[in-house]
Amino acid sequence: LKGFLLVARKELDAGRAAEAGVLVGQGVVEVNAPTAEAIGGLDAAPLTAASNALMDGKPEGARALQTAIDAVSAKQGPADAELVRRMLKIASGLYSGVVGNGVVDSIEYQHSLGAALAAQDAFTRAEAALTAKNPRRAAEVKTELARLVALWPSATAPVAPTPPAPP
């Protein structure tokens, strides 16, 4: 869910508020409907408000999106290296479906970007603990995550996305 919101912020930063709103709404649906129990006790109201404000082009859309991001962040448990690895595995799996039969799947592109951004976010939340364990490795991971996220040049799929690495 956090990944959808982080991609939505990239879309909003690029001037595509309606697209950002769609991503927020899609994130709620993807995590299995807007009931508090389905999404870890999270009140979906800020997510819905952000989606609606952005899709309607309302000036409060950016503030509503940040409120939604803050609401999700407040409900997140602790992050660790395992969460970072899991999000990277999701990003990789989704990205493998971005180009098929010469056609770019822009939805999978955004979903994989969201998972990569969520991995980077999880690392940031776990960075102090990971650095305390192994400062050199934590610095390497931080650098590699930044390099990985840079492989998505924008929140919207390009005509020729970066090809996935061979298995």
Side-chain angles (χ1 to χ4, degrees):
L1 180 58
K2 181 88 170 264
F4 280 94
L5 299 176
L6 297 174
V7 175
R9 182 168 46 202
K10 284 190 162 293
E11 285 284 40
L12 182 61
D13 291 347
R16 295 184 293 269
E19 290 85 344
V22 169
L23 280 162
V24 174
Q26 185 181 25
V28 172
V29 171
E30 290 275 338
V31 296
N32 210 9
T35 65
E37 297 78 28
I39 49 181
L42 175 67
D43 177 9
L47 300 166
T48 303
S51 179
N52 291 339
L54 290 163
M55 286 193 294
D56 293 343
K58 293 183 178 174
E60 66 268 16
R63 187 178 68 242
L65 177 58
Q66 189 57 54
T67 298
I69 291 170
D70 293 345
V72 170
S73 295
K75 283 293 189 177
Q76 288 181 299
D80 59 13
E82 182 57 29
L83 177 58
V84 175
R85 278 191 287 278
R86 286 193 332 252
M87 294 311 303
L88 288 172
K89 187 174 183 177
I90 291 169
S92 175
L94 290 169
Y95 199 82
S96 69
V98 169
V99 178
N101 298 323
V103 177
V104 176
D105 185 332
S106 59
I107 302 299
E108 286 302 290
Y109 177 90
Q110 288 181 324
H111 290 186
S112 64
L113 171 57
L117 291 171
Q120 191 174 45
D121 177 75
F123 175 82
T124 299
R125 292 186 298 116
E127 187 172 4
L130 296 173
T131 299
K133 280 182 166 181
N134 187 336
R136 184 185 61 76
R137 181 68 181 135
E140 289 171 356
V141 170
K142 183 176 186 171
T143 298
E144 290 304 313
L145 280 168
R147 288 182 61 213
L148 175 70
V149 169
L151 294 174
W152 286 264
S154 72
T156 303
V159 173
T162 303

